[in-house]
Amino acid sequence: MDTDIALDTRTQGQRPVRETTAPGGWPAVGMIVLYFLLQALFATLFASAASLAVLLGGSTDRANLGPAIKILLGRPDIGALLVAVALCGAAATMLWLVRLRWPTLWPLAQPPGFGWSAPSSGVFYVYAIAAGVVLPVLGGYLTHFLAQGHPVPQDIKLLSARAPQAYKALLAMLAIIVAPLVEEVLFRGVLLSAWLRRLPVAWAVAATATLFALVHLPDLKYLWYGLPNLAMLGAAFAWLRLRSGSLWPAVVAHGMNNLVSLLGVFFAAHGV
């Protein structure tokens, strides 16, 4: 069933009401691809700037320049800054592009809108917090069961474990606030609305959750054990988005999930 929603252009006073149509599937996927490409671009720009600083510093001769740059970029504090620059730069750019590309869809509560609005009831924030606490615990057990004792690393967790305390706090803020916000706009806002054009709700949710899991494979070092957990999270976030008429409960649940995961890493590192 095609769920395109197109409103005829008409006037309210002197102002026209613009046509409101869900994004196409390929433009929506393209936005997600662009998000990760932008992360790579901003990371490259930061690494280039750091390398240039070493070169201009004059404390290293040209013969040792390559090893000096490699040592610099391998430092946990510099690695944390690289992640921060890449994520914040890509997130800010994508939020601006989505708002610019689909301004009429941005505030609409239900698809084809992106849900940048208050939820229909505050109780969905309670559901979001509960989901953000319970699901990572259940997902952790599921992942460890599927892994059969094999480690399941995640890049930001490994990096935050090595970083100085101030940089750990920075990475935690990014994981809890910035990453959930931009990912929910892209996956449960743009992509879910796009796929609801051609798919029944259950299939659109499943497809969105599956892609959400797959794009995190590099963080998992391409180990499949964590995919069912991520897909389950993606489906739960989509349920919150659709039932509440808002993106914010999904953002809260996503942020809580990341917080609980990071706390698990912290306690494990300190033998708690």
Side-chain angles (χ1 to χ4, degrees):
M1 178 177 177
D2 193 333
T3 57
D4 269 8
I5 298 179
L7 303 179
D8 293 334
T9 300
R10 58 193 185 276
T11 60
Q12 292 180 341
Q14 299 299 316
R15 300 184 63 183
V17 177
R18 299 173 60 182
E19 184 183 40
T20 306
T21 305
W26 285 115
V29 172
M31 282 289 183
I32 293 171
V33 172
L34 180 59
Y35 170 58
F36 290 101
L37 289 177
L38 284 172
Q39 287 191 49
L41 174 61
F42 280 103
T44 300
L45 291 174
F46 179 87
S48 298
S51 301
L52 183 61
V54 172
L55 178 62
L56 297 178
S59 59
T60 304
D61 57 55
R62 290 185 178 276
N64 295 317
L65 184 61
I69 292 173
K70 185 175 181 180
I71 291 172
L72 176 67
L73 296 178
R75 285 169 42 183
D77 56 341
I78 298 299
L81 286 176
L82 185 148
V83 169
V85 169
L87 181 57
C88 290
T93 303
M94 292 310 304
L95 291 174
W96 174 74
L97 284 175
V98 172
R99 180 70 176 83
L100 182 69
R101 175 66 180 82
W102 296 288
T104 56
L105 299 182
W106 186 264
L108 297 184
Q110 291 291 354
F114 299 158
W116 198 267
S117 57
S120 58
S121 171
V123 73
F124 285 104
Y125 286 123
V126 178
Y127 296 157
I129 293 172
V133 172
V134 173
L135 290 180
V137 176
L138 296 178
Y141 283 120
L142 174 61
T143 299
H144 285 294
F145 172 76
L146 295 173
Q148 294 294 304
H150 297 288
V152 185
Q154 283 191 271
D155 282 345
I156 195 166
K157 293 179 183 178
L158 294 175
L159 180 60
S160 63
R162 299 193 304 267
Q165 289 292 18
Y167 294 94
K168 287 181 181 179
L170 173 63
L171 291 173
M173 292 294 289
L174 295 175
I176 296 167
I177 299 174
V178 178
L181 178 60
V182 67
E183 289 184 11
E184 291 310 310
V185 168
L186 292 175
F187 283 94
R188 261 62 66 176
V190 178
L191 187 65
L192 183 59
S193 292
W195 283 353
L196 282 171
R197 295 180 67 177
R198 303 294 178 187
L199 296 173
V201 173
W203 282 101
V205 167
T208 307
T210 299
L211 184 59
F212 175 73
L214 290 174
V215 300
H216 288 86
L217 261 178
D219 291 339
L220 300 171
K221 303 299 182 184
Y222 296 95
L223 299 173
W224 67 271
Y225 317 125
L227 292 181
N229 173 39
L230 289 169
M232 176 180 68
L233 290 172
F237 300 157
W239 182 88
L240 286 167
R241 158 75 188 98
L242 295 174
R243 291 299 299 269
S244 70
S246 170
L247 201 65
W248 291 108
V251 173
V252 170
H254 196 154
M256 284 297 300
N257 170 80
N258 290 358
L259 173 61
V260 170
S261 298
L262 288 174
L263 287 175
V265 172
F266 175 81
F267 290 133
H270 290 77
V272 178

